[in-house]
Amino acid sequence: MPHLRSKPTPESSTYSTMPAANSTTAVTAWEIPTHGRPGFKGDGREIPAAATAVRVATPPPSTPSRSSRATTSRASSTLYFPPPDPEISYFARRFAYAYITPDNAPARANDPRAFVRAVFRTLAPNLPQDFELETPSYHGDVIVCFRTPDDREAAIRRQPFELAEGVTLRLVREGETPNVTVTPMDCLAHVALRRYPVEQRTDEEIRANCYHLGHLLELDPSCFAAPDLATVFVVLQLEQPRQIPRELRITYGDGSTSVVPVEILRVWDRSESLDGNGEYACLFQQSPAAAA
């Protein structure tokens, strides 16, 4: 299941994917990074401050050099969101971006939506014609919203749509446009969140705070009964461990901040945690209620 890895921009987007259970990709020998980790990550939260929150002076970000600007910008915007709700996923699987080539084709400048309609009526009359067409904001010439995901897949299988004088219409799925980079999520990390405030110790809040660290694969359930500022242990799934910051800063609406030191205890390849059925084998002992 794909996971959105960074905030989409008009120029580029990055998605991370988990390998299939039967993946035969090479196993990477991950190591705990000794340098190169960000100093801290975090953002403001409009929630009541923790009792132990403090005021932290945050230095202004330095201006990166021209050669490092792209890398710095990409790292600073990385967020690991959970998989979308089934309803949203279904909605996304109905969309495709229509690209008309060549760039100087008259249909691109005249009325691309009418052109798409004409192509389907002429070259694919047996396919459903009750799709909706929208003007794209960034990518493609037309956004095609099919009635169902099956309708979209039937149209994509029908490709290529080739017309006279070398004009073509190509459909591209949501998430497969040229601005998208697919990266593996093969690294797992056992991480300790030190001095974690009790006010933030709910499943929802821990997951929200871990968006800055990696995809939260597992949470040690014993943390919920632990005292204030006790360590919270988690297992993260991410692209590579150097992305994990040394501190997580939870900044509240009043400007105060909880500073949570982040310690990487162990890193390993995801394939090492799969059972005989290709399913993830939990690191932490689950409570009877959670197991049920």
Side-chain angles (χ1 to χ4, degrees), residues 8-19:
T9 66
E11 294 80 15
S12 64
S13 301
T14 306
Y15 292 80
S16 295
T17 59
M18 298 183 190

Side-chain angles (χ1 to χ4, degrees), residues 45-60:
R45 308 285 302 282
E46 291 299 325
I47 51 180
T52 54
V54 296
R55 299 281 174 172
V56 176
T58 304

Side-chain angles (χ1 to χ4, degrees), residues 161-178:
F161 297 104
E162 299 177 342
L163 295 90
E165 301 179 358
V167 178
T168 64
L169 175 69
R170 181 170 62 98
L171 299 177
V172 179
R173 297 178 182 89
E174 173 76 24
E176 298 180 2
T177 51

Side-chain angles (χ1 to χ4, degrees), residues 3 7 21 28 51 76 105 107 116 135 145 161 177 222 253:
H3 293 267
K7 182 178 180 181
T28 301
S76 63
V116 171
T135 301
C145 180
F161 297 104
T177 51
S222 66

Side-chain angles (χ1 to χ4, degrees), residues 117-177:
R117 291 280 185 197
V119 167
F120 269 78
R121 287 196 299 267
T122 304
L123 300 182
N126 59 321
L127 294 180
Q129 307 285 318
D130 55 348
F131 47 78
E132 299 178 4
L133 301 177
E134 301 177 5
T135 301
S137 299
Y138 305 117
H139 309 291
D141 297 295
V142 177
I143 297 177
V144 186
C145 180
F146 293 91
R147 187 173 56 85
T148 68
D150 289 341
D151 287 353
R152 184 191 71 174
E153 293 306 306
I156 288 178
R157 287 194 299 270
R158 170 61 182 78
Q159 298 187 112
F161 297 104
E162 299 177 342
L163 295 90
E165 301 179 358
V167 178
T168 64
L169 175 69
R170 181 170 62 98
L171 299 177
V172 179
R173 297 178 182 89
E174 173 76 24
E176 298 180 2
T177 51

